[in-house]
Amino acid sequence: MASNTTVDGALAAAPTTTRSITTADAKREFSIAAPRGRAMRWFSSIVLVVIGIVFLLPLVWLVLASLDASASLSVKWPEAPSFDNFLTVLTPETSLIPLTNSFILSAGCAVVTVFAAILAAYPLSRYSMRINKPFLYGVLFGTCLPITAMMVPVYALFVAFNLIDNMTGTILFLAATSLPMAIWMMKNFMDSVPISLEEAAWTDGASAMRTLRAIVVPLMRPGIAVVFIFVFIQTWGNFFIPFVLLLSPEKLPAAVSIFSFFGQYGSVAYGQLAAFSLLYSVPVLALYVLVTRLGGGSFALAGAVKG
Amino acid sequence: MTTTAPTALGAPSAPRAGRPVQRKRRPGRTILRSAPLLPAIVLLGVFLLGPVISSLYGSLTDSSLSGASASNAEFVGLENYTSLFADPDFPKSVLLTLVFLVASALIGQNVLGLGLAVLMQSSHKPVRVIVSTIVVTAWVLPEIVASFAAYAFFNDGGTLNTMLTGLGIPGVNWLYVFPMLCVILANIWRGTAFSMLVYTAALNDVPPEITEAAEVDGARGWQRFTLVTVPMIRRSISTNLMLTTLQTLSVFALIFVMTGGGPGTDSTTLPLLAYQEAFRFGELGFGTAIATILLLVGAVFGVLYIRALKPEVD
């Protein structure tokens, strides 16, 4: 079960849902016994296959075009499949510097976010203070803000503080946008770490911060990894924020430079555009598979957004 | 448990063993204990709350990117809002945003997501695994890449028209003739995975005994679904409706890449209008007014969402 991709694997990871999987299996056997159930299964599978093919078509173009030196916008089998498009775009100016920038932005944002989220989650999870409830409501509310809508005032603010085209400023803003979700996820992970070990440490005179560093953080490493990857994936894919806040070509992340590449050569070099897009997407897809293995998976990502 | 999804995050509402007993409050200790919240509070305050407040204020000034009002913006009251409502582009943009929200999020993603989740329950396992992987891939891809893929699909010389020609049907320039239809379908393609995952989890939490009992009582398939299953997962449905609405409200790159808001303003939803007014025409105050309206709409949904999740915080 765990080797399955996406939904099944993710469900198996959540202990509370394992029960419902076994009962769901039992239900399936029950319906196989009835002829109407078997017809229903074939019907469902055929409809799913049709939907799957429709969903697959735009993705197939991406892969086939990247292997085709004379790619068009339509799905067609490359006459002479080659990796020429990849070799053409794998130059420092075209893809390597933008990908490095994407990495700096995403990793920087993920580090800042995870650090602030762990610190904030600890008092929220361990003490009952008067500030907890308003803070958590504020955080939940923050997850609902349409960030796209905020970019105009954010731009004005960045101009006022002279932070336009500043990587650090952009990283801090990206961190602030992912922080509400990260705090919420981190608090939930921390809630599931038993408190008894910490109580022992407190009795021995360890401070709260020391307990956090020496006991809680090591115990919730998989959870921290899930939050880190989650923030990393989100930032890696973000187009609008760096598009508005960064200007110089040597600072632009891949998301934005792919867009300018499209504007400059897009109408002639679809193959290269597809190749660049794939190079840029592979890390995200790999991290997604990794987060599924870590026990979070698509389910946790969806769950994260759900609160 | 409000929804089924948070279970994966370690059951947030589960009672925690041994929360420290609240002793007599000492103000010093509370400050010390809440100190770790500080980095988060500073980040959120400066970079989220700051822009929201400056958005409210900025929308009341005539600030612009160039010219005299760039350096010293003047307070103009509600002028931006009155000219906004007088501008024919704005009501059209509101309408397009509503169409986009209802068609792609409320109907498209939710119905298709629920449909997929139901079909997956009764389909063969290999089919289920492969199809869900495909659907989720479209969701995990970076938005700019997904936008290019959708652009290529609907383009005049794209996959859709090639297939239609193959079937002997003359194609049209979809992005130009039906821009809204294209971006709606593209957003459904990209966003359905989220609803599918939420509903798959919700359906797995419906005890099979209940549907079986309904079956024994003679309820047919469709009746079982509408009278038993849907009421059982109604909380997941309402939360999911809200979240997909919020996500769709801030869709920018998809429309920006596929149609650029055009032809003319025929697919200019509010985020694109705010962007164009502020950055292309330099009307920062005008763009900020649109942004403020969007923020308020988001805030309303946010409050509804928090009310739905209230038991989890308490």
Side-chain angles (χ1 to χ4, degrees), chain A residues 138-139 141-158 161 173 176-177 180, chain B residues 42-61 81 284-285 287-300:
Chain A
V139 162
F141 189 71
T143 62
C144 296
L145 285 179
I147 300 296
T148 316
M150 279 178 54
M151 286 323 289
V152 179
V154 167
Y155 178 81
L157 202 73
F158 268 58
F161 289 110
F173 178 68
T177 59
Chain B
V42 169
L43 267 179
L44 293 173
V46 172
F47 289 101
L48 283 190
L49 199 61
V52 171
I53 293 169
S54 82
S55 174
L56 290 174
Y57 176 73
S59 67
L60 304 175
T61 67
Y81 291 97
L284 221 49
T288 314
I290 301 168
T292 309
I293 290 173
L294 267 175
L295 279 175
L296 288 177
V297 174
V300 170

Side-chain angles (χ1 to χ4, degrees), chain B residues 24 85 88 116 168 195:
Chain B
K24 273 179 201 158
F85 284 100
L116 282 170
S195 302

Side-chain angles (χ1 to χ4, degrees), chain A residues 20 44-45 74 128 148 299 306, chain B residues 22 122 124 162 201 204 250 305:
Chain A
S20 30
S44 302
S45 294
S74 175
S128 56
T148 316
F299 197 50
K306 294 195 61 68
Chain B
Q22 191 68 45
S122 60
H124 296 91
T162 310
N204 273 318
S250 50
Y305 177 57

Side-chain angles (χ1 to χ4, degrees), chain A residues 1 4-8 11 14 16-17 20 23-24 27-28 30 36 40-42 44-45 47-49 51-52 55-59 61-62 73-75 112 116 119-120 123-131 133 135-137 140-141 143-158 169 172-173 175-177 179-180 183-185 188-189 191-192 195 199 209 237-240 243-244 255 258-259 262 273 277 280-281 284-285 288 298-307, chain B residues 3 5-10 12 16-20 22 25 30 33-34 36-37 39-41 43-44 46-48 51-52 54-55 65 112 116 119-125 127-129 131-137 139-145 148-149 151-153 155 157-159 162-163 189 192 194 196-198 200-201 204-205 208 212 215 239-240 243 246-247 249-250 252-253 256-257 271 274-275 278-279 284 287-288 291 294-295 298-299 302-303 305-306 309-310 312-314:
Chain A
M1 183 67 84
N4 294 328
T5 41
T6 64
V7 183
D8 277 4
L11 285 179
T16 42
T17 47
S20 30
T23 43
K27 184 173 63 177
R28 248 172 254 131
F30 171 76
R36 208 180 45 171
M40 183 65 202
R41 274 188 93 170
W42 277 106
S44 302
S45 294
V47 175
L48 275 184
V49 167
I51 297 176
F55 269 71
L56 191 61
L57 281 171
L59 301 174
W61 171 78
L62 215 54
L73 281 170
S74 175
V75 166
V112 173
L119 282 179
L124 292 173
S125 169
R126 291 316 193 221
Y127 309 129
S128 56
M129 299 184 298
R130 231 175 291 168
I131 194 179
K133 223 194 262 184
F135 190 83
L136 279 175
Y137 277 129
L140 252 189
F141 189 71
T143 62
C144 296
L145 285 179
I147 300 296
T148 316
M150 279 178 54
M151 286 323 289
V152 179
V154 167
Y155 178 81
L157 202 73
F158 268 58
L172 290 178
F173 178 68
T177 59
L179 198 52
I183 292 176
W184 192 257
M185 287 171 87
N188 288 339
F189 280 124
D191 281 351
S192 58
I195 202 169
E199 282 170 338
M209 280 304 105
N238 199 312
F239 164 75
F240 199 36
F243 180 63
V244 169
I258 285 184
F259 182 74
F262 172 66
L273 179 72
S277 300
Y280 164 59
S281 306
V284 168
L285 297 175
Y288 181 78
S298 48
F299 197 50
L301 290 197
V305 186
K306 294 195 61 68
Chain B
T3 57
T7 38
L9 299 175
R16 242 184 356 269
R19 183 195 277 264
Q22 191 68 45
R25 279 184 195 281
T30 305
R33 285 186 165 183
S34 49
L37 290 175
I41 290 176
L43 267 179
L44 293 173
V46 172
F47 289 101
L48 283 190
V52 171
S54 82
S55 174
L65 284 180
L112 187 59
L116 282 170
L119 288 172
M120 293 214 176
Q121 283 217 318
S122 60
S123 67
H124 296 91
K125 193 169 168 186
V127 175
R128 190 166 74 234
V129 171
V131 174
S132 67
T133 306
I134 294 170
V135 174
V136 169
T137 304
W139 178 61
V140 176
L141 275 185
E143 60 176 337
I144 196 86
V145 176
F148 283 134
Y151 170 81
F153 183 77
N155 192 280
T159 308
T162 310
M163 288 193 323
W189 169 70
T192 297
F194 180 80
M196 181 188 83
L197 293 170
V198 169
T200 304
N204 273 318
D205 274 3
E212 275 160 29
E215 196 170 2
T239 339
N240 192 53
L243 286 169
L246 280 166
Q247 285 162 8
L249 194 63
S250 50
F252 176 83
F256 191 58
V257 167
Y275 169 80
F279 298 119
L284 221 49
T288 314
L294 267 175
L295 279 175
V303 170
Y305 177 57
I306 288 171
L309 277 182
K310 201 166 186 288
E312 302 235 337
V313 180
D314 291 339

